[in-house]
Amino acid sequence: MTTKATPLWGDKPDVEVYGERLRDARLIQRLRSGEVATRAGVSQSWYSKLEHAISTKLDWQKANDLAGALGFPVDFLASPPVTAVQRESLLFRAKKNLPKAEEDLLVSWARLVGDVIHAAEPRLRLPLLRVPRIPIEVGPVDAARFVRQALGVPRNEPVPHLIRTLERGGVYVATIDFDGSLHAKNHDAFSTWIGPMLDRPLIGVRASDSWERTRMSVAHELGHLSMHQTRREGDLEAEAYAFAAEFLLPVETLKREWPRSVTLTSLVPVKKTWGMSLAALIEHGYRNGLLSGGQRTSLYKQMSNRRDPASGERMRIREPGWRDREVERPKLVAMVAEKAFGATVDPESLEPKVFGWRADFLKTLFSGQVTAWARDFSGSIDEASPHPGSMADVISLSARRQLAGR
C-alpha cells in the first residue's frame, strides 16, 4: 500500500486535506489524535484544528507526513467527502451505554459503506427504496404492518430471510465484526441514513453466531429506520422492539398460533416457523395479553435454570433450535461493488476507485458479505454461495445501455 507520492518535477504542490477524512482515517483505526500528531511531528492542538476544519491547504510535505502517520494515501485525505452520516440519525440498541469513541467508529464504517455505494452509483441502477417513512402519529404495530406491505411480505406469512427481504427493498446491510466484549455487551446492530441526501438506509450488524439475535436486531433497526428518522422523543427502543416483534410475527397470527398450554417446549415450533427467539416470543405474548406476569417470570426462570441438550449451555444463553437456521448475512453491497467495478477487481486496485479507502478495510467490509466475489475479494474461507434470483436488480451501466438499445 502506497501512502506517499513524490512529484516527478517542479515544485511540490500544496494539498487541500479535509477534516472529515482525517477523522475517519484516525477513528476507524481507534487512534488517538495525540498519537497521530506525534507520528506526524506536529502539535496535538494543530492537528485537532485540522480535523475540525472543513478543509485546510497544506504544503506537500505536511500532507504526506499526515498520510504516513495515518497509514492512508494522500488521495484519501484530499478527497472531498461525499457521504453524509449525521450523528443524530445514528440509532442503535443500547446507544446510551456506548462510549463516544465507539460511536465515532460506527460513523466511520457507515461512511465507508456510503462511499462505496456513491462511487458505484454512476455505473449502476441501484435498487429502489421501498421502506416507507412512517408518520409520527402511527404506532409500532401499525408501522410494522405498513412496512411489511411495502416490502411485499404477505400479511400472515413468515419472513424466511429477513436481510434478503430488506436488501430487495433498497436497504443496505453490512456485517461488521466489532472487536471485544464491549461491543457484545452494548450493542449488536445500528442503523442510520447515509448518502449526499441522507436517503439511503444502512443497517450495520455485529458478527454473531446467533441467528435469533441477528434477525431480531435487524428487525429492530428496521423499526428505527421507518419510525425514527427525525423523531427523538419517547421510548424509541421499546417502540423498535414492538415493531420488530410485529414485523416478524403479526399479533393476529400470534394469537392464532399461540399454544393452549404455554411451555418452553410448546413455544419451540412457533420459534422455528416464525424465526424468533423464545425470549422474544415470551415478550411478544406478554405484551399482547397472552401471558400473565407470573407466567412470564416462570418461563424466564426455566430458561435460566435449564440447559439446551445440544450445547449444554443454559437456555438464556443458547436456546433450543439455535442450529436450525444459518445466521443471515448480507450481499447487496458486494453485488453493487462487483457490478460497478468488475468481477476481477482486487483490493489494491479498488482503493483509488472508492476515494482512497484502504484495501484492508475494504477486505474487512466485504468479508461480511456472502457472495463468491466477496469471498474471493476478501480472502474469506466462507463457503456460502449466493442464490440467483433472490435479490433486487443491480444492473451495470453497460448492460443498461444494451437494454436501452433494443
Side-chain angles (χ1 to χ4, degrees):
M1 176 190 64
T2 301
T3 60
K4 296 185 178 183
T6 303
L8 293 177
W9 58 77
D11 294 334
K12 297 175 180 179
D14 290 342
V15 179
E16 186 172 9
V17 300
Y18 290 85
E20 195 170 272
R21 294 302 191 188
L22 290 166
R23 284 196 303 276
D24 283 337
R26 176 176 65 83
L27 294 170
I28 205 166
Q29 301 178 84
R30 299 176 181 274
L31 296 174
R32 296 182 180 274
S33 59
E35 184 179 354
V36 176
T38 299
R39 290 181 184 179
V42 300
S43 69
Q44 183 175 352
S45 61
W46 183 79
Y47 176 77
S48 294
K49 288 180 181 178
L50 293 182
E51 281 201 359
H52 288 89
I54 295 176
S55 66
T56 306
K57 187 162 286 190
L58 301 177
D59 65 59
W60 179 88
Q61 187 59 56
K62 274 195 169 59
N64 274 260
D65 289 344
L66 287 173
L70 289 164
F72 267 76
V74 173
D75 286 348
F76 177 80
L77 305 183
S79 175
V82 295
T83 297
V85 184
Q86 291 185 345
R87 189 175 298 274
E88 59 267 26
S89 72
L90 192 71
L91 298 163
F92 48 86
R93 299 172 68 174
K95 178 176 180 177
K96 64 182 179 181
N97 297 323
L98 197 70
K100 183 176 182 300
E102 303 301 312
E103 188 175 332
D104 289 336
L105 180 73
L106 300 185
V107 171
S108 297
W109 277 106
R111 190 145 22 238
L112 167 54
V113 176
D115 279 358
V116 170
I117 297 167
H118 185 86
E121 185 176 19
R123 311 164 187 241
L124 298 173
R125 185 181 69 191
L126 296 171
L128 295 176
L129 177 60
R130 295 164 57 194
V131 175
R133 303 185 189 186
I134 303 298
I136 60 174
E137 65 272 13
V138 177
V141 171
D142 287 334
R145 293 170 181 167
F146 289 146
V147 176
R148 259 185 164 252
Q149 183 178 16
L151 291 173
V153 180
R155 184 171 179 177
N156 289 310
E157 291 186 15
V159 184
H161 198 298
L162 176 59
I163 289 180
R164 207 68 71 240
T165 298
L166 300 193
E167 289 181 318
R168 286 196 296 267
V171 178
Y172 297 90
V173 183
T175 302
I176 301 171
D177 194 7
F178 301 123
D179 294 334
S181 60
L182 174 67
H183 292 285
K185 289 187 295 183
N186 284 338
H187 70 284
D188 46 31
F190 71 93
S191 59
T192 189
W193 292 84
I194 60 175
M197 304 299 293
L198 291 176
D199 57 352
R200 291 177 182 144
L202 169 68
I203 295 175
V205 186
R206 190 179 67 86
S208 170
D209 62 355
S210 169
W211 64 262
E212 306 103 320
R213 190 175 179 89
T214 296
R215 279 174 62 89
M216 178 54 72
S217 295
V218 171
H220 179 104
E221 299 308 321
L222 177 61
H224 279 317
L225 289 171
S226 59
M227 296 189 296
H228 302 147
Q229 186 182 10
T230 58
R231 184 160 64 86
R232 298 292 176 265
E233 70 281 355
D235 193 342
L236 306 188
E237 290 301 296
E239 291 181 6
Y241 275 116
F243 174 98
E246 180 68 23
F247 187 86
L248 293 174
L249 175 49
V251 66
E252 60 188 88
T253 306
L254 173 74
K255 292 178 178 179
R256 188 173 63 247
E257 299 204 1
W258 195 253
R260 290 185 177 181
S261 177
V262 183
T263 64
L264 294 178
T265 300
S266 67
L267 287 175
V268 168
V270 184
K271 166 183 176 168
K272 292 182 177 181
T273 299
W274 293 91
M276 291 178 67
S277 68
L278 292 178
L281 285 172
I282 291 169
E283 288 302 301
H284 201 17
Y286 174 69
R287 278 195 302 267
N288 288 285
L290 300 175
L291 281 178
S292 68
Q295 288 175 305
R296 173 177 177 256
T297 300
S298 175
L299 289 170
Y300 277 135
K301 286 182 177 179
Q302 293 176 50
M303 290 182 68
S304 296
N305 295 328
R306 292 184 185 179
R307 295 184 182 272
D308 170 54
S311 66
E313 297 182 89
R314 296 189 186 278
M315 289 185 181
R316 286 298 294 267
I317 298 173
R318 189 77 70 181
E319 294 185 0
W322 63 275
R323 295 188 298 185
D324 290 352
R325 292 180 182 226
E326 290 186 359
V327 177
E328 295 184 12
R329 291 174 59 194
K331 66 181 184 179
L332 177 58
V333 177
M335 291 180 66
V336 166
E338 180 184 3
K339 290 283 188 180
F341 307 116
T344 61
V345 69
D346 58 59
E348 287 70 28
S349 61
L350 185 57
E351 272 192 24
K353 300 178 188 295
V354 292
F355 309 102
W357 279 100
R358 242 168 51 186
D360 54 337
F361 291 107
L362 294 171
K363 289 172 69 174
T364 298
L365 171 64
F366 290 115
S367 68
Q369 301 276 311
V370 59
T371 71
W373 176 87
R375 184 177 67 243
D376 294 342
F377 181 93
S378 63
S380 169
I381 60 173
D382 185 89
E383 295 300 325
S385 59
H387 300 284
S390 63
M391 283 298 304
D393 289 338
V394 179
I395 304 177
S396 68
L397 188 60
S398 59
R400 203 188 326 167
R401 287 170 175 161
Q402 290 176 3
L403 289 170
R406 290 179 180 177

